[in-house]
Amino acid sequence: MPIPQNTLPVPRHLAVIMDGNGRWAARRKRPRMIGHRAGARAVNTCIDFCLEHGIGALTLFAFSSENWGRPEEEVGALMKLFLNALEREVDELHRRGVRVRFIGERHRFSTSILERMQHAETLTAGNTRLHLSIAASYGGRQDIAMAARALAEDVAAGRLRPEDIDEATFGTRVALSDLPPPDLFIRTGGDTRISNFLLWQLAYTELWFTETLWPELDADTLRQAIAAYASRERRFGLTGDQVAGLATHIPPEAAAR
Ligand code: IPE
Ligand code: IPE
Ligand code: MG
């Protein structure tokens, strides 16, 4: 009997909340920004891990819609760090076959950042080894609200009938609709919440939390997460017997994952 893809030990799509930079710095009696800088290095650890382990899609929560409300100094410093990272890393990502894109409200960024984002997306558009999505100025509720607006516009323009709106059509309008939904979600920093990350997309994602602060992330921690994921039984609302033995009972949506 073929094993449904959704039970494979390696996630096809990993979604990560990179949290704990500020606390990492505070423990060292350093400014929060030092933590963010150290956090930027941990991003490479995570990307390397995905490339080595054949994880095809990685989505990183870098900056939330709500993070704009942080002190001006921190937001300004984060923007500078973001711009520097774009300038420094994109060529190497391209060389390694990584496709980069950004999800979130990008009109809130400065022109210089917008241009670098656009450049990164265009340069790497043809890459297929790893699909890296950076959620920046992103909020899950905002994502869902924008999908609803897009559908409403289609209805108003006569392109869509209200009765044609269902989970499938809605799902094509939220971010990352061209990727399988995340199989595994990781949050570092010890807090066990989703903080307005991919609310729609995480419906059946396996969640894994660690006390490790983001700047301390290493391959060992990621291996632990993958091992935990591999030991889980994903049931998608079915019974354990169904998912264990009867692949024909896997709903088409789950089987396609
Ligand atoms: C995550 O680290 C990075 C961003 C939200 C930009 P934090 O800055 O939230 O770090 P803590 O949670 O305060 O330690
Ligand atoms: C979530 O972390 C957002 C990012 C990591 C970018 P936060 O630090 O903003 O989340 P809360 O405030 O602890 O929920
Ligand atoms: Mg935090």
Side-chain angles (χ1 to χ4, degrees):
M1 184 172 300
I3 300 168
Q5 274 215 325
N6 54 24
T7 62
L8 287 177
V10 176
R12 284 166 307 157
H13 183 175
L14 173 63
V16 183
I17 296 189
M18 313 185 285
D19 196 28
N21 295 349
R23 279 163 287 165
W24 184 87
R27 279 179 201 173
R28 285 160 182 76
K29 304 206 179 341
R30 305 296 306 278
R32 293 177 59 82
M33 202 47 219
I34 299 294
H36 293 313
R37 233 174 266 156
R41 289 192 289 275
V43 170
N44 287 326
T45 305
C46 194
I47 292 170
D48 291 349
F49 186 89
C50 289
L51 287 168
E52 271 166 35
H53 291 79
I55 296 169
L58 171 65
T59 301
L60 298 174
F61 204 4
F63 192 81
S64 73
S65 306
E66 291 73 26
N67 290 149
W68 287 110
R70 291 192 179 193
E72 217 176 291
E73 194 191 338
E74 181 167 343
V75 172
L78 278 167
M79 291 304 129
K80 222 176 260 169
L81 185 67
F82 191 29
L83 186 63
N84 288 345
L86 284 168
E87 279 166 2
R88 207 180 46 237
E89 305 291 348
V90 168
D91 285 343
E92 178 64 8
L93 289 172
H94 180 48
R95 199 188 60 73
R96 299 173 81 189
V98 179
R99 179 181 170 186
V100 185
R101 78 166 144 185
F102 301 88
I103 60 169
E105 281 192 292
R106 60 173 80 193
H107 65 86
R108 299 186 71 174
F109 290 106
S110 67
T111 315
S112 49
I113 290 182
L114 279 175
E115 281 171 6
R116 298 309 303 186
M117 286 164 118
Q118 187 64 51
H119 169 73
E121 288 182 337
T122 309
L123 178 73
T124 65
N127 295 339
T128 54
R129 204 169 152 218
L130 172 65
H131 198 133
L132 173 65
S133 306
I134 310 283
S137 189
Y138 175 86
R141 288 178 173 172
Q142 161 78 12
D143 189 1
I144 292 169
M146 287 305 104
R149 184 190 288 184
L151 290 168
E153 282 169 356
D154 281 353
V155 170
R159 291 189 293 266
L160 188 71
R161 294 174 306 166
E163 58 269 34
D164 292 331
I165 298 176
D166 55 14
E167 276 186 42
T169 45
F170 205 101
T172 63
R173 302 307 181 100
V174 293
L176 311 178
S177 60
D178 56 333
L179 294 175
D183 293 310
L184 175 62
F185 159 104
I186 296 175
R187 181 177 185 141
T188 61
D191 288 311
T192 45
R193 55 177 172 259
I194 302 213
S195 297
N196 201 16
F197 196 23
L198 304 162
L199 298 181
W200 175 279
Q201 299 85 342
L202 293 176
Y204 269 105
T205 301
E206 295 298 324
L207 308 180
W208 192 80
F209 299 91
T210 174
E211 292 291 330
T212 302
L213 301 172
W214 179 253
E216 294 165 345
L217 182 89
D218 58 12
D220 239 21
T221 308
L222 290 168
R223 268 192 288 274
Q224 279 174 40
I226 301 299
Y229 171 78
S231 73
R232 303 237 181 122
E233 181 186 63
R234 304 182 75 187
R235 290 191 291 277
F236 300 98
L238 306 185
T239 69
D241 285 348
Q242 282 177 302
V243 292
L246 303 170
T248 49
H249 284 205
I250 302 281
E253 193 225 3
R257 287 176 184 178

